[in-house]
Amino acid sequence: MELATLLTFLLLAIGHGEGCQLQSSTSETVKDWWQTAQFYQIYPRSFKDSDGDGIGDLNGITSKLEYLKDLGITAAWLSPIFTSPMVDFGYDISDFFDIQPEYGTLDDFRALIKRAKELDLKIILDFVPNHSSNESSWFVKSVNREKGYEDYYVWHDGKVNATTGAREPPTNWLQYFRGSAWQWNKERQQYYLHQFAVQQPDLNYRNPLVVDQMKRVLRYWLNEGVSGFRCDALPPLFEVLPDAEGQWPDEVVTGATEDADDRAYLTTTYIENQPETIDMVYQWRTVLDDHKRIHGGNSSVLLIETYSPAWFSMQFYGNRSTEGAHLPFNFNLITVMEQKGLNASNVQEAVDLWLKNMPAGRTANWVLGNHDKRRAASRYGKEHIDAMNMLVMVLPGASVTYQGEEIGMTDGEISWEDTVDPWGCNSNADIYEQYTRDPERTPFQWTAGTNAGFTNGSTTWLPLATDYETINVEKELSDDRSHLKIYKALVALRKSSKTLQNGSTKYEAITGDIFVVQRSLANSATIVGVINFGSVAVTVDLSQFDKNRTESLQLLIRSIDSTKVEGTRYDPKTLSLDPAEALVLTTE
């Protein structure tokens, strides 16, 4: 698409402004689909309910695929849809080869895949390799020591207290959801390891039978037509090997908290980020590549959830001889801001942490939120949601959007009585808000009508966020300007601009509040993003950032409260920015 045509489209999408002739790119690099993709995370339970039971489902997702197509999404990633007791809402899987009845059937899933392919949308599934449900037939067989399943999970006799004679857990390790990571099983008369809830026993990846079984899971769903997997919770996949006596070491107290049940109370040196985890990801990549080699078609993508430090996360990409994950998720725009707050300097630190550590020839990615973190508009501030969406669309590589970020959804308010997340339920009424993930999982807001258009039933599985009457898809599509229209314009620009797909990247916090990112490509228009994270108006001189920047810049996209006009040209030496204003501009 010519940039002049694109500008016209963007202005129509935003609902304001005039078109203008822009220079088109003459340079092009062929990239695989995932390298510049817009990934969209769907939390199925909260996306769209088709049968009135107040729980989102597969047919609901299928009914809204055209919405994703209209957004410009490349691939939808579905949080777990497999058979589960729903202790952890799908992340405790009892059957990796079938669909949770609340969500539908295999035929419903196949219908979803068929419709997605008709719309040229890709479907990615959540792969949960670290553990199963304790209701899985695998675990039941392991409890009974059935042949082939004896060591399917991590079992241990525990220790005997020399003073009391009581049997105790083998180590002091803590689970993510508070408390000991060990649970005594009366039938087997041993402890099993669970780094998440008691009902989520850890699989034993030092057992080749487990490794083979989980590869079968990948192949099964590839054969059903999925385009890849997001791999959940990789850091705890392996624990260190026990010593010659079969004992593991205790973790050390960190001093970070006085709460002895909180995982942060101890280090995780022995239960996270082991080298065997890297090798396992390489093996899964081989499964995906072999499937393409045998069956043809497009590449299947491997996305990795890891909140690990850069020295570990970057190894997931692969090495000189072996391919690894296509995209280890980059959470720096979440974690750095959580630790230090949102300003331009901290944004630069977050971007540096990835781009300056990423191996050569690999693809970056940018994540603002997910089902485990407070919604982006609540964490960054509603006034900054457009700016953050601009940032992830202008930076190089792939973007990942959690459902609702495109319309500026905020956290719901969940009482202790309504709390269902096991992380919150394992605490108490005084502290549950520190742990519960329910606020970011409230039902998607489609309309201002009954139950936000999420269900035609009388109830919803979680209470709606209270602002659904003003923040919803229907309203934002009809408004002259909205977060949704700005998001659509950003995706359209990113999909059509060779500069954003292939250009070089320069970025800098030119002050503590002002962040600038510039994308350049020979024989193509330069794209510049400028964000004021501060609370006061400022005038910036972009020639400080790029000494060759003397010509005026034309405005393409602006944040919702900006009073500037798309299509207008601005002097880069005296560019005024209101508080929280964010702009995407271009050269002619």
Side-chain angles (χ1 to χ4, degrees), residues 40-50 53-58 60-61 64 79-81 89 102-103 371 375 402-404 409 414 420 437-446 451-455 460-465:
Y40 186 95
Q41 182 190 356
I42 291 175
Y43 194 70
R45 201 170 184 83
S46 293
F47 192 60
K48 176 63 177 175
D49 172 28
S50 71
D53 66 355
I55 297 171
D57 49 45
L58 293 178
I61 295 171
K64 293 298 184 180
S79 289
I81 57 173
F89 297 102
E102 289 173 310
Y103 295 159
H371 62 293
R375 290 190 177 277
Y402 177 54
Q403 63 181 47
M409 275 184 68
I414 308 298
V420 293
R437 297 165 296 176
D438 292 329
E440 59 265 30
R441 299 177 177 183
T442 56
F444 193 84
Q445 295 160 199
W446 294 103
N451 289 326
F454 165 72
T455 180
T460 57
W461 79 281
L462 275 176
L464 294 163

Side-chain angles (χ1 to χ4, degrees), residues 345-505:
S345 299
N346 293 338
V347 168
Q348 177 167 340
E349 178 182 339
V351 177
D352 281 345
L353 275 172
W354 202 265
L355 294 186
K356 291 189 175 181
N357 287 290
M358 187 174 67
R362 303 297 178 175
T363 300
N365 70 95
W366 311 94
V367 183
L368 296 182
N370 54 48
H371 62 293
D372 289 332
K373 294 292 182 180
R374 292 294 189 262
R375 290 190 177 277
S378 293
R379 280 183 290 108
Y380 300 123
K382 290 185 285 187
E383 71 275 18
H384 293 303
I385 189 60
D386 296 328
M388 297 307 291
N389 280 329
M390 287 180 186
L391 188 62
V392 300
M393 293 296 177
V394 174
L395 286 167
S399 65
V400 184
T401 295
Y402 177 54
Q403 63 181 47
E405 287 173 1
E406 74 275 21
I407 62 174
M409 275 184 68
T410 57
D411 292 342
E413 296 181 7
I414 308 298
S415 68
W416 170 246
E417 290 73 23
D418 287 328
T419 298
V420 293
D421 176 34
W423 206 339
C425 292
N426 281 355
S427 59
N428 59 57
D430 294 327
I431 61 173
Y432 79 99
E433 290 178 305
Q434 301 174 37
Y435 300 100
T436 180
R437 297 165 296 176
D438 292 329
E440 59 265 30
R441 299 177 177 183
T442 56
F444 193 84
Q445 295 160 199
W446 294 103
T447 73
T450 303
N451 289 326
F454 165 72
T455 180
N456 59 12
S458 59
T459 60
T460 57
W461 79 281
L462 275 176
L464 294 163
T466 56
D467 58 8
Y468 73 90
E469 292 183 346
T470 56
I471 300 177
N472 62 74
V473 170
E474 183 179 61
K475 182 178 187 300
E476 295 197 20
L477 284 174
S478 64
D479 287 347
D480 289 339
R481 286 181 52 75
S482 66
H483 298 305
L484 180 58
K485 289 186 174 180
I486 292 168
Y487 181 90
K488 289 176 64 176
L490 288 166
V491 175
L493 176 64
R494 195 161 175 268
K495 288 169 72 75
S496 301
S497 168
K498 294 295 184 280
T499 301
L500 292 184
Q501 293 175 19
N502 301 312
S504 61
T505 305

